[in-house]
Amino acid sequence: MLTSNATDVQATEFVLRCFSVELSRWRGLVSASLLALFLVATSGNLTLLLVIRMEQRLHEPMYYLLSMLSMLDLTVTFCVVPQVLGNIWFDSKHISATLCFTQLYFIITFNGFQSGLLMVMAYDRYIGICKPLQYPLIINSRFLLKTAVFVVGRPAILNVPVIVSLSQLNYCASNVIDRCYCENVPLVNIACNSKPANGIYVIFLLGFTSILDLGLITFSYFMILRVVLQLRSQGATTKAFSTCTSHLLVIIFLYSSQVALLLANRLGQQLSPDFHSLFAILYCLLPQVLNPLVYGLRTKEIRERAVAIFRNVKVNTIIVN
């Protein structure tokens, strides 16, 4: 709905045009695929949290940070997928402006949480490999508390101006968003009083923390690489690289998806709206699916404990039956 006065027109709700009529014919396949990814992401992250909680050997700072990452993955997943499935299954396309901006705030804020947490995890690996004797003194409970405050507080504060800026735009020409959930770029595109400065301002605030975090991650791994290459023991070198591989894969998943989404938005109308919608969903879902799989498969302690839990559940089920 659009409300107007003498000077402007303001949207009180938006219409999420998730897919075109052509792709809607495949809504069963699309929704089943999304539901499967949603269940994999949810079960994978919940299993990871359960394993870390139950396994005494995993009660270490590195795995507490991993638990925080899993909780963030779950939150992002639940912020997006139910909205998308409701749109596909029940044709629930209308969303109030307040709810739209709230959803957008949580999505970009939790993505900021992930970026900051991966940077802190890189620092954890840097201390663990480059300064192992100082690790218990630096990476302790106080550090974890400060990390939680930093990871949560920074994007929560910095993203407020982004939402305020978007909410103050006038959406006069149309209130239809060619996405399955609220996203910042389509909102800027349909605003009638949007100026280049608005887009630059939003992109700068959203990109600043990611670029800063990526720079610090790169520096941490440069220092790690320099130390690892100086190790004389082949076993120590292999163990160091193995410790970092899972984290590096998760970093690649997150930042490559961000770069791909940025390029897709830059191409704009050269790509179909359906492609943009599907890509935006996968951007918020695929990293959440892959993260627990990477850590679960590559971390011996997590893998062994997860297998033991499922084996016990299977045995108990057989006994009950």
Side-chain angles (χ1 to χ4, degrees), residues 20 66 76-77 80 155 255:
S20 64
L66 181 56
V76 173
T77 302
V80 173
Y255 287 104

Side-chain angles (χ1 to χ4, degrees), residues 51-271:
V51 168
I52 293 174
R53 176 68 179 84
M54 295 180 64
E55 181 55 59
Q56 190 67 32
R57 291 179 297 169
L58 302 180
H59 292 181
E60 299 178 1
M62 181 177 71
Y63 296 106
Y64 289 140
L65 294 173
L66 181 56
S67 297
M68 292 174 62
L69 181 64
S70 289
M71 287 187 284
L72 293 177
D73 286 344
L74 285 170
T75 306
V76 173
T77 302
F78 277 91
C79 277
V80 173
V81 178
Q83 169 80 47
V84 176
L85 292 177
N87 192 310
I88 296 175
W89 288 343
F90 309 112
D91 205 32
S92 178
K93 300 181 181 296
H94 294 268
I95 183 172
S96 69
T98 300
L99 185 57
C100 180
F101 292 125
T102 301
Q103 182 188 50
L104 175 59
Y105 173 77
F106 279 108
I107 290 173
I108 62 177
T109 298
F110 280 103
N111 283 331
F113 291 169
Q114 289 177 318
S115 178
L117 187 56
L118 289 178
M119 184 265 290
V120 174
M121 293 173 74
Y123 177 73
D124 171 83
R125 292 297 82 216
Y126 162 71
I127 298 298
I129 294 174
C130 299
K131 301 179 180 181
L133 297 179
Q134 300 180 38
Y135 185 85
L137 300 176
I138 298 175
I139 311 298
N140 49 34
S141 57
R142 181 177 297 180
F143 170 83
L144 292 176
L145 179 59
K146 291 180 179 179
T147 294
V149 173
F150 168 78
V151 168
V152 172
R154 186 187 60 170
I157 295 172
L158 291 180
N159 286 330
V160 170
V162 175
I163 302 302
V164 172
S165 174
L166 290 172
S167 65
Q168 290 180 344
L169 297 177
N170 295 319
Y171 302 92
C172 56
S174 173
N175 64 338
V176 177
I177 303 174
D178 286 324
R179 295 291 191 277
C180 296
Y181 61 90
C182 290
E183 194 184 340
N184 56 299
V185 173
L187 283 170
V188 172
N189 290 340
I190 66 173
C192 58
N193 65 334
S194 177
K195 299 178 182 179
N198 292 109
I200 294 173
Y201 174 66
V202 171
I203 292 173
F204 171 77
L205 283 178
L206 293 179
F208 173 74
T209 54
S210 294
I211 293 173
L212 177 63
D213 292 343
L214 185 58
L216 293 173
I217 290 171
T218 303
F219 175 76
S220 295
Y221 274 99
F222 172 78
M223 299 299 294
I224 290 173
L225 182 62
R226 192 177 70 169
V227 170
V228 169
L229 293 178
Q230 294 175 353
L231 296 175
R232 296 182 179 180
S233 171
Q234 182 64 34
T237 302
T238 303
K239 182 179 179 181
F241 278 123
S242 177
T243 302
C244 296
T245 301
S246 299
H247 184 236
L248 283 172
L249 287 173
V250 171
I251 291 170
I252 292 171
F253 293 153
L254 177 65
Y255 287 104
S256 61
S257 62
Q258 288 184 352
V259 171
L261 184 65
L262 178 62
L263 292 175
N265 286 326
R266 289 288 296 173
L267 291 173
Q269 296 182 353
Q270 298 180 40
L271 302 174

